[in-house]
């Protein structure tokens, strides 16, 4: 999660996993859980829920394009994100 740039630090990623905000293949996991290619990961962040499939395991924490190549967000997750962005945009327009 840290290598894929979902969290700014390894400590934050570990805390999210320990706090039950990360599930792998539908099950709550421990921070030391190793991922495999093909695993489905669900991440609940503040105001954002992301579902993705692991495409590759990064060897290091590299640049953002390298990190994005390691996972694929599900179409449902992309649609949820688009709806959330639209709601934020409409809320900003409605605010005087």
């Amino acid at each position: 999660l840290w290598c894929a740039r979902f969290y700014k630090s390894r400590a934050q990623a570990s805390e999210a996993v320990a706090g039950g905000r990360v599930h792998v293949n539908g099950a709550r996991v421990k921070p030391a859980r190793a991922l495999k290619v093909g695993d489905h990961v669900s991440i609940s962040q503040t105001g954002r829920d992301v579902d993705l499939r692991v495409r590759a395991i990064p060897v290091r924490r590299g640049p953002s394009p390298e990190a994005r190549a390691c996972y694929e967000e599900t179409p449902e997750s992309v649609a949820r994100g688009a709806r959330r962005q639209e709601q934020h945009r409409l809320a900003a327009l409605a605010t005087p």
Side-chain angles (χ1 to χ4, degrees):
L1 297 175
W2 173 71
C3 284
R5 296 182 169 270
F6 282 98
Y7 294 96
K8 289 185 179 185
S9 71
R10 289 172 60 148
Q12 286 177 337
S14 180
E15 183 180 304
V17 173
R21 294 187 302 271
V22 177
H23 292 79
V24 176
N25 298 324
R28 188 173 170 175
V29 293
K30 294 182 179 180
R33 167 71 155 73
L35 292 176
K36 300 177 298 209
V37 173
D39 280 348
H40 291 272
V41 180
S42 299
I43 303 168
S44 294
Q45 294 177 319
T46 306
R48 178 180 170 204
D49 292 329
V50 181
D51 295 320
L52 38 106
R53 185 177 61 84
V54 178
R55 296 176 70 191
I57 305 297
V59 234
R60 63 183 182 95
R61 187 173 201 246
S64 185
E66 192 177 296
R68 279 194 304 269
C70 293
Y71 63 87
E72 176 182 10
E73 194 170 356
T74 64
E76 297 85 13
S77 180
V78 171
R80 269 196 319 266
R83 280 194 307 271
R84 184 178 47 84
Q85 280 185 329
E86 183 64 16
Q87 289 172 348
H88 282 275
R89 186 184 71 76
L90 291 174
L93 291 174
T95 306

